[in-house]
Amino acid sequence: MQQKDVLPMKAEKADKRLSAKPVITGSEAVIRSLIAEGVDTIFGYPGGAIMPIYDALYDFQDQVHHILVRHEQGATHAAQGYARSSGKVGVAFATSGPGATNLVTGLADAYMDSTPMVCITGQVAASLLGTDAFQETDVIGITMPITKWNIQVTRQEDIPGAIAKAFYIARSGRPGPVLVDITKNAQFGEFEYEYVPCTHIRSYQPVPELKQDAVKAAAALINEAKKPFLLVGHGVLLSGAEKALIALAEKAHIPMASTLLGLSAVPVDHPLYVGLLGMHGNYGPNVLTGECDVLIAVGMRFDDRVTGDVASYANKAKVVHIEIDAAEINKIITAEVAIHADAKTALEALVTDVQPANHDEWLAEFKAAHQKEYDKVQHGELYPEAGELKMAEVVRLISEKTKGEAVLVTDVGQHQMIASRYYRFKNPNTNITSGGMGTMGFSLPAAMGAKMGTPEKEVVAVIGDGCFQMTLQELGTIYQSKIGVKIVILNNNFLGMVRQWQQLFFDKRYSSTEMVNPDFVQIAKGFFIPGKKVTAREDISAAIDEMLATDGAYLLEVVVEKEDNVFPMVPAGAPVSTIRLE
Amino acid sequence: MQKEYTVTVYTEDRIGITNRITIIFTRRGINITSLTTAETEIPGVYKFIITVMSTREKLDKVVGQIEKLIEIHRAFVHEEDEVVYQELALYKISTKSLESGDIERLIRDHQARILTITADYFVIEKTGHQQELTDFIKKLEPYGLIEYSKSGRVAIVKWSRRFHEHLKELQASSEA
C-alpha cells in the first residue's frame, strides 16, 4: 500500500525536474550557475578561449554586472577586495594562457589571506590539451599550490557541478580561492541544465565539531591567568566572531591586540584594545607578549612577522589556539590547548565558561607601554609642526575626516604599516590589505572591488608611489565603470620600506630603490579622474576635504618626507621583545 | 633526526591527486624515496604509501597539510616499527643460465620464484625489504641479469583497528 503511494509521487517529481531542465550551452550554464550562487558582479577580461562565456554573459547583463579590468591581476585583486568588504565570494574571469597566468599573483594572495574567490578561466578545446596549442597553458598545474581547490572541466555536463563545488569550497571552512578551468568545447556544447548547490563533500569537513573538553581546558587556563592576552586574527572577521570576542575580552578583562589582517574586528577605541602586533606593530603588544601568562590566539597563524624569533616567543605563556584549519595548529607555536573550531562557535562557548575577572594592573602595563611609544614615536609622527609632511599625519587626517568609518585599502610597504598603525577603525571588514603575500599593486584594484562590494561606504586606497605604478592601468577601469574610490598616493619617491631596510641593515647602500616618478595628477587626468598634488602641511587638510567631497573617484598625491622610517620595528627574526622605538 | 618514515594517505580518485600530494613534500625539500598507489578495497578510494627520509616534526606538519587538501580522506605518518611492509622485485635473467644447476638452488634459498620462462629469458619474483632485494641482484649478476625492477612499499599499520570498517562506512554514507 505504502509502495503504491510513494511511487507515483516520485515519478511526478522526476517529470517536473525534467521539464525544468532547459537545453542550453555550457557557457550559458556558467552564467546561470553563477547567478544561482548569488553572483551579481564579475571582474574579468575576455580573450579567445573564454569568448563563448562572454557571449552568454551578453544576454544576462541585467542580472550580472561585468567589470572590464585592464589586466587580469587587477580582476583577482578586485574580486578579493569585493569579497573582503562584502563577505561574498569574489568572481574573476580570464582567458587561457597569459590571461590565466596573470591570475597567479591574485590567487596566491587570496590563498595566503584566506579570501573566498572563484576564478573561471577559458581553456583550449579538450582535443588540443597537452599539444601546446595557441594560448594553452597548464593552469591547473600552475595554480595547484596556490588554490584551495581547482578543477578542469572538459564536458559541458560537468559545469554546474564544478561551479557548485567551487563556491562551496571557496566560502566554507577557512575560505580560499578556487579555479575552474573550462575547455572551449565544453563552453559550446549543449546539455540539459540543472543546478544543485553543493552542501557536502565526503572527504572535506570544513567546520570541525567543537570539543567541549578543549573549551573547558581553555577556560580553566584563562580563569587562572594573571596576565591573559588575546590575539585577534583574520579568522575573527571571517567567522563573524567580533561580538563574541569582545564579550569574552570584557567578561574576563583581557587586553586584545590585532594581527594585520585582524584589524577592524575590534574598534580601535575599545578600552581593552591595545594595538597592532608584529614587526611594525605597537610597542606594548610586542613587548608584553613576552610577559603574558596565557596567550589566546583566535583565527590567526603565527606568521613570522608576528612572532619574530619563534624560540623566544611568548616564553612565559601557555597558549590557547582557536583555529578552524587543523594544519595551522602546532605549525609554528605549540598550543597548550587547541580548540579546532570556527572562531565564533568556540568564543561563544568559551565566554560562558570563563569567570569575570579584573586585570587592571596588567592593563596598566599596556597603558604605560603605549605612553612610551606615544611620547617617543607617535606624537611626533601624528602632529609634526615643522619639516616635510609625514605619512602618519596624512593618515590621521583621513581617519578623522572619515570618522574611522571608511574602508581602508592599503598596499604594501611603509605607507601600509603607517596606515594600519594610525587609522582608527570603527567597523568590521573595513581593513583590506595584502598581508601574507605582501603584493605590491594590490590596493588600487582591491579598492575598486571593495567599492563595488560595499557601494554605500567610503573607500579610501592609501598607496605608495612604487605600488601605484604596478597596477595604475586600473584607473581605466575606475573611469569606465564609474567606481568612486578615493586614491591617496603617499609619495616619498622611494621604495620606502626597502630603503628603510637598506638604511638600517645594508649600510645605507640604496640599491635600486630611488624612484624618478611621473606626474601622478597628470596621469589621473589622462583617465579623466580629478586630482591634486599637495606638498605643504597647510594644504593637506583642505585637500582631503576636497577629495572626500568629490562625487566619484579622486586622486590625491601627497609628497611626504623622503627618508622617513617606520618605527617601532622588530628586526627580522629577532625576539619581539627587542622591538626598537628608534 | 632524519630517518625513514612511511606516510599513508587515503584519497578520492581524482586526476592530479598525486601532484597535489607530492608538491607538499617538494615545498619542504623532502625527497620521496618510494611511492606506491592503488585503489583500496572500496571503489573510488585510493591509498598512497610514500617512504621518505625526514624528521617526525616536519612530517607531522606535512601530513596536516596533506589532510587539508579537499580530496584527501586521511593521512598518517608511521615510524619504521609501526608498519609491516613488503616490496616486490622482478629480475630478468638469460635463459642460458638455467643450464647451470645452482641458480635454481639460489632461487629456492632466497624464497624467490620463477614467474615465466621463454627461450631467451626468464623472470624471477622476490618479495622482501629493500636491502634483501638489492643484495639478491649481486647474487644474480654472475648468471646474466638483464633487467631489474622493484616496487615501492606496500604497508599495513600495526596499530590500525578499523580502517576497513571506516572505509566501508564512507562508502555506505556516500551511497545513501
Side-chain angles (χ1 to χ4, degrees):
Chain A
M1 189 62 199
Q2 261 195 332
Q3 282 283 354
K4 268 190 179 174
D5 284 337
V6 170
L7 278 174
M9 244 179 73
K10 263 193 171 172
E12 211 177 273
K13 260 192 180 169
D15 276 350
K16 265 191 182 170
R17 292 225 316 272
L18 264 179
S19 63
K21 281 185 185 175
V23 174
I24 60 171
T25 63
S27 295
E28 188 177 338
V30 170
I31 309 299
R32 286 200 191 204
S33 300
L34 293 176
I35 292 169
E37 286 293 340
V39 174
D40 55 17
T41 308
I42 297 168
F43 303 91
Y45 205 105
I50 198 169
M51 282 182 66
I53 292 175
Y54 272 88
D55 186 61
L57 187 62
Y58 197 72
D59 292 329
F60 290 89
Q61 291 175 74
D62 55 332
Q63 292 175 67
V64 189
H65 188 185
H66 179 269
I67 306 291
L68 174 63
V69 295
R70 294 299 182 267
H71 186 288
E72 291 87 351
Q73 182 188 353
T76 56
H77 295 328
Q80 287 180 275
Y82 179 88
R84 298 258 293 269
S85 74
S86 71
K88 294 192 273 186
V89 178
V91 180
F93 277 4
T95 192
S96 64
T101 56
N102 281 344
L103 301 177
V104 166
T105 303
L107 286 166
D109 194 288
Y111 192 51
M112 283 284 253
D113 286 351
S114 314
T115 309
M117 174 161 82
V118 170
C119 291
I120 292 179
T121 46
Q123 181 58 281
V124 300
S127 59
L128 294 174
L129 286 170
T131 67
D132 305 319
F134 177 65
Q135 291 194 330
E136 185 208 355
T137 192
D138 175 15
V139 69
I140 294 297
I142 290 170
T143 61
M144 220 174 247
I146 51 168
T147 50
K148 189 173 172 187
W149 186 68
N150 65 15
I151 188 168
Q152 184 171 68
V153 183
T154 54
R155 304 185 319 159
Q156 56 272 27
E157 300 88 326
D158 298 334
I159 287 173
I163 291 179
K165 265 178 103 171
F167 275 83
Y168 175 63
I169 291 167
R171 68 174 150 230
S172 59
R174 178 178 177 181
V178 169
L179 183 134
V180 182
D181 190 38
I182 306 173
T183 58
K184 211 167 175 182
N185 59 296
Q187 297 174 37
F188 277 126
E190 292 189 334
F191 72 113
E192 282 185 356
Y193 169 80
E194 184 191 25
Y195 196 75
V196 183
C198 177
T199 54
H200 171 76
I201 295 169
R202 68 175 187 175
S203 57
Y204 170 58
Q205 194 192 2
V207 183
E209 214 176 292
L210 180 68
K211 299 218 167 50
Q212 289 299 333
D213 297 2
V215 175
K216 297 268 181 279
L221 282 181
I222 294 168
N223 289 336
E224 282 166 24
K226 299 274 176 290
K227 295 180 170 187
F229 189 24
L230 258 168
L231 308 189
V232 184
H234 193 190
V236 172
L237 291 162
L238 289 168
S239 82
E242 302 88 350
K243 286 203 176 87
L245 173 92
I246 291 170
L248 173 71
E250 287 176 351
K251 186 174 177 189
H253 207 225
I254 309 174
M256 297 175 273
S258 178
T259 66
L260 182 64
L261 289 185
L263 283 174
S264 84
V266 179
V268 170
D269 57 10
H270 190 282
L272 290 169
Y273 181 72
V274 296
L276 177 66
L277 291 162
M279 185 173 268
H280 293 290
N282 293 108
Y283 183 69
N286 276 304
V287 167
L288 295 172
T289 295
E291 295 303 315
C292 71
D293 58 359
V294 174
L295 188 77
I296 308 120
V298 189
M300 55 86 79
R301 57 185 177 82
F302 294 105
D303 181 83
D304 57 279
R305 287 301 192 256
V306 162
T307 62
D309 172 44
V310 169
S312 62
Y313 182 77
N315 265 344
K316 296 180 187 161
K318 289 180 172 155
V319 174
V320 175
H321 195 179
I322 300 173
E323 173 56 52
I324 197 165
D325 179 358
E328 295 298 348
I329 294 170
N330 299 332
K331 186 182 84 175
I332 306 290
I333 299 293
T334 307
E336 182 89 7
V337 176
I339 306 182
H340 178 213
D342 170 68
K344 188 178 177 190
T345 313
L347 289 167
E348 282 174 350
L350 196 53
V351 75
T352 61
D353 285 347
V354 297
Q355 301 297 325
N358 183 295
H359 297 296
D360 278 339
E361 278 178 41
W362 172 228
L363 275 155
E365 292 188 43
F366 282 95
K367 283 189 187 117
H370 169 74
Q371 196 57 49
K372 192 170 170 186
E373 180 183 336
Y374 186 82
D375 294 343
K376 278 213 148 178
V377 181
Q378 294 192 8
H379 182 75
E381 298 243 302
L382 292 167
Y383 304 98
E385 280 161 10
E388 292 174 278
L389 274 164
K390 292 225 163 232
M391 292 189 189
E393 65 183 308
V394 182
V395 171
R396 171 182 63 82
L397 285 166
I398 295 169
S399 184
E400 287 170 5
K401 290 173 192 292
T402 57
K403 303 185 184 73
E405 288 172 343
V407 176
L408 181 78
V409 189
T410 53
D411 230 296
V412 175
Q414 287 188 321
H415 73 276
Q416 174 194 34
M417 292 297 111
I418 293 290
S420 303
R421 284 172 53 77
Y422 295 113
Y423 193 82
R424 299 184 66 81
F425 297 97
K426 213 170 255 173
N427 303 310
N429 300 312
T430 54
N431 166 55
I432 298 174
T433 194
S434 170
M437 269 291 278
T439 303
M440 286 177 68
F442 172 83
S443 68
L444 187 64
M448 298 173 350
K451 186 67 185 174
M452 297 299 298
T454 47
E456 73 285 2
K457 290 187 186 166
E458 186 78 79
V459 175
V460 181
V462 175
I463 315 182
D465 49 310
C467 293
F468 181 69
Q469 291 176 78
M470 283 206 175
T471 48
L472 68 78
Q473 69 277 10
E474 298 306 339
L475 291 174
T477 312
I478 289 169
Y479 174 63
Q480 179 172 351
S481 295
K482 301 183 177 62
I483 305 171
V485 290
K486 311 302 182 200
I487 304 154
V488 180
I489 299 176
L490 297 179
N491 180 10
N492 56 8
N493 291 295
F494 253 121
L495 299 176
M497 187 59 91
V498 182
R499 191 212 51 77
Q500 176 172 345
W501 282 52
Q502 288 172 334
Q503 180 187 339
L504 298 174
F505 311 117
F506 291 89
D507 255 349
K508 289 196 177 181
R509 289 154 57 88
Y510 295 154
S511 179
S512 297
T513 43
E514 185 157 19
M515 298 207 108
V516 177
N517 281 325
D519 181 337
F520 293 118
V521 177
Q522 277 299 317
I523 286 176
K525 209 174 163 190
F527 288 95
F528 309 103
I529 293 170
K532 183 170 258 175
K533 178 175 181 172
V534 171
T535 53
R537 181 156 291 119
E538 59 268 27
D539 299 332
I540 183 70
S541 176
I544 294 171
D545 287 338
E546 185 184 322
M547 172 181 81
L548 294 174
T550 302
D551 190 23
Y554 189 95
L555 183 141
L556 175 65
E557 177 192 352
V558 186
V559 178
V560 294
E561 189 180 335
K562 203 168 162 77
E563 297 189 25
D564 199 3
N565 286 332
V566 186
F567 282 107
M569 177 178 194
V570 182
V576 288
S577 58
T578 64
I579 186 164
R580 291 162 59 172
L581 283 170
E582 53 197 340
Chain B
M1 198 191 66
Q2 284 234 344
K3 54 180 185 175
E4 186 168 57
Y5 288 89
T6 306
V7 174
T8 55
V9 187
Y10 289 87
T11 81
E12 291 287 344
D13 176 10
R14 179 64 211 289
I15 290 175
I17 200 80
T18 310
N19 201 359
R20 284 172 205 275
I21 294 168
T22 58
I23 51 180
I24 292 173
F25 290 95
T26 308
R27 257 184 95 182
R28 289 181 182 263
I30 301 169
N31 193 19
I32 290 173
T33 49
S34 84
L35 187 153
T36 307
T37 177
E39 198 166 42
T40 63
E41 64 272 36
I42 305 304
V45 176
Y46 275 65
K47 182 177 181 177
F48 282 67
I49 302 157
I50 303 163
T51 59
V52 290
M53 289 293 289
S54 190
T55 64
R56 181 79 203 206
E57 199 203 347
K58 250 193 190 183
L59 289 174
D60 281 337
K61 291 170 187 175
V62 164
V63 159
Q65 286 169 328
I66 292 173
E67 278 200 332
K68 191 167 147 174
L69 298 172
I70 304 295
E71 283 118 347
I72 301 294
H73 290 287
R74 292 299 304 274
F76 306 91
V77 53
H78 315 283
E79 311 264 342
E80 182 82 4
D81 62 1
E82 287 177 300
V83 283
V84 175
Y85 65 90
Q86 284 292 73
E87 287 157 14
L88 180 143
L90 301 179
Y91 309 79
K92 183 175 166 187
I93 313 278
S94 163
T95 301
K96 271 186 271 171
S97 68
L98 278 176
E99 288 161 17
S100 121
D102 19 332
I103 189 162
E104 289 192 58
R105 202 175 66 231
L106 189 70
I107 291 166
R108 265 201 311 280
D109 289 353
H110 284 81
Q111 279 91 48
R113 66 187 185 113
I114 295 175
L115 274 187
T116 183
I117 305 181
T118 72
D120 300 332
Y121 66 86
F122 68 106
V123 176
I124 302 170
E125 174 202 300
K126 177 172 165 53
T127 56
H129 289 188
Q130 163 106 21
Q131 196 59 49
E132 309 167 52
L133 300 175
T134 48
D135 283 352
F136 196 46
I137 295 175
K138 288 189 194 82
K139 301 245 164 62
L140 290 173
E141 267 172 346
Y143 298 96
L145 178 68
I146 299 165
E147 190 185 338
Y148 164 73
S149 182
K150 190 182 83 65
S151 75
R153 185 171 285 190
V154 178
I156 288 283
V157 182
K158 289 181 186 171
W159 48 257
S160 64
R161 289 283 175 270
R162 47 192 305 277
F163 279 12
H164 176 68
E165 232 178 286
H166 180 80
L167 289 176
K168 291 283 259 193
E169 284 167 15
L170 187 75
Q171 185 183 29
S173 75
S174 40
E175 277 167 5

